[in-house]
Amino acid sequence: MLGRTVGYKKMMRIVYFIFLIVLPVVAQSRSETAPAKVPLYEQQCHPSVDPQKPQYTVGYGSLMEDASRRRTAPNTGEALPVLVTGFERSFNARGSEIGFSTTYLGVTVVPDASMVAAVYRVFNAEDIIATDAREEQYCRVGVQSGKMQMLDGSSVQEHGQYWIYVNKPEAVMPATERFPLVQSYVDIFLTGCQQLGRRANVFQGDLMRECILTTKGWSQHWVNDRIFPRRPFFHQPNAGAIDRVLQQNVTEFKHIKIE
């Protein structure tokens, strides 16, 4: 039974790979003589990948943190800090309506906005497929290389294809009492910022601060769901550094409640 399950999963990944790369190309080549076979919504939400170009993902939330990212996309390069313009990050992505959930980070297109994020190379199309599935409430859209500035002194690879996951319009909602910010997710986000700071020789406190200041939607609907919240360092070694930066830069942090 296990062998059949693994084989089925592998077959489905192959089918989705064909859908992701091959079908959009075929549809485009036949567009002058026949209607596109790929639904327009899917073309917009998961556009075709050019296999001739290096692939990159811009992560701005949990994808910034190494362990979180690699659970989904293990075949990726080192994440590096980048300043991205044209997108605004905010706590505005509502979780599942079933059971207890939270409000996650999302981005919307705002021409004059900017944010500190992570950019990393994706070496395997399967990892793009897996990330699409993980970010099912978002659409993968392209980012122009001219909209990015590396913060570690390196240069943006202009010939690459860059992707970011943007909120679907109907999914843009602020935090509420039922869907609050949760500290465990904030910890993943800011730990990712801390890791980027260490890797790029940028003072980690400064980079965490920039991540915070380029994030909207901080809310008084915020709960501390850490394990042992009064002794968080036992399970979250970055708790002290994270809380100090939050207390200095986010007024809503003083309203956080222990769940």
Side-chain angles (χ1 to χ4, degrees):
M1 181 64 72
L2 178 60
R4 292 181 181 178
T5 301
V6 173
Y8 175 77
K9 289 182 177 179
K10 184 177 292 185
M11 181 185 71
M12 291 305 295
R13 287 184 174 181
I14 292 172
V15 170
Y16 189 62
F17 174 79
I18 293 172
F19 170 80
L20 183 71
I21 295 179
V22 178
L23 288 183
V25 174
V26 173
Q28 183 177 1
S29 67
R30 298 180 59 186
S31 61
E32 295 182 358
T33 58
K37 299 298 183 181
V38 181
L40 179 61
Y41 177 78
E42 290 299 333
Q43 290 183 44
Q44 293 174 338
C45 200
H46 297 107
S48 61
V49 172
D50 186 345
Q52 303 303 315
K53 293 182 178 180
Q55 299 297 311
Y56 296 87
T57 297
V58 176
Y60 55 84
S62 59
L63 290 176
M64 298 176 73
E65 202 263 344
D66 292 342
S68 177
R69 177 178 67 257
R70 287 173 178 156
R71 278 195 293 270
T72 299
N75 303 298
T76 57
E78 194 171 59
L80 296 173
V82 64
L83 182 68
V84 185
T85 59
F87 297 92
E88 181 178 86
R89 172 175 49 211
S90 180
F91 284 97
N92 63 7
R94 180 164 295 182
S96 173
E97 295 281 348
I98 300 174
F100 296 99
S101 192
T102 182
T103 297
Y104 297 99
L105 288 168
V107 296
T108 51
V109 177
V110 178
D112 296 331
S114 63
M115 64 178 183
V116 174
V119 62
Y120 55 89
R121 177 84 180 268
V122 182
F123 296 103
N124 191 322
E126 202 170 77
D127 282 355
I128 297 178
I129 295 169
T131 308
D132 283 352
R134 167 177 170 158
E135 308 295 340
E136 62 179 350
Q137 293 184 328
Y138 306 80
C139 285
R140 175 169 47 81
V141 302
V143 184
Q144 297 176 2
S145 60
K147 296 289 186 179
M148 297 184 292
Q149 176 188 350
M150 301 301 297
L151 298 178
D152 66 335
S154 62
S155 300
V156 175
Q157 301 299 316
E158 296 183 0
H159 63 292
Q161 204 168 19
Y162 294 86
W163 304 106
I164 192 170
Y165 289 86
V166 174
N167 294 58
K168 293 178 180 178
E170 67 273 16
V172 178
M173 300 179 185
T176 65
E177 185 175 2
R178 184 184 171 193
F179 297 93
L181 277 60
V182 293
Q183 190 62 38
S184 58
Y185 178 74
V186 173
D187 287 344
I188 291 173
F189 163 47
L190 293 181
T191 295
C193 296
Q194 185 184 61
Q195 291 170 343
L196 291 172
R198 289 172 177 168
R199 189 168 298 131
N201 295 320
V202 178
F203 183 64
Q204 57 194 9
D206 285 347
L207 198 65
M208 277 202 290
R209 180 175 181 273
E210 289 305 313
C211 286
I212 290 170
L213 295 180
T214 56
T215 301
K216 307 294 185 181
W218 297 99
S219 173
Q220 294 186 21
H221 299 297
W222 188 349
V223 296
N224 186 344
D225 64 334
R226 287 170 174 159
I227 299 175
F228 304 131
R230 293 189 184 275
R231 298 177 65 250
F233 51 84
F234 189 76
H235 283 276
Q236 175 50 263
N238 296 323
I242 289 171
D243 289 353
R244 278 192 295 274
V245 179
L246 286 171
Q247 187 171 10
Q248 292 167 1
N249 296 280
V250 182
T251 57
E252 290 85 355
F253 184 67
K254 65 183 179 182
H255 297 285
I256 192 170
K257 299 176 182 179
I258 292 179
E259 186 153 64

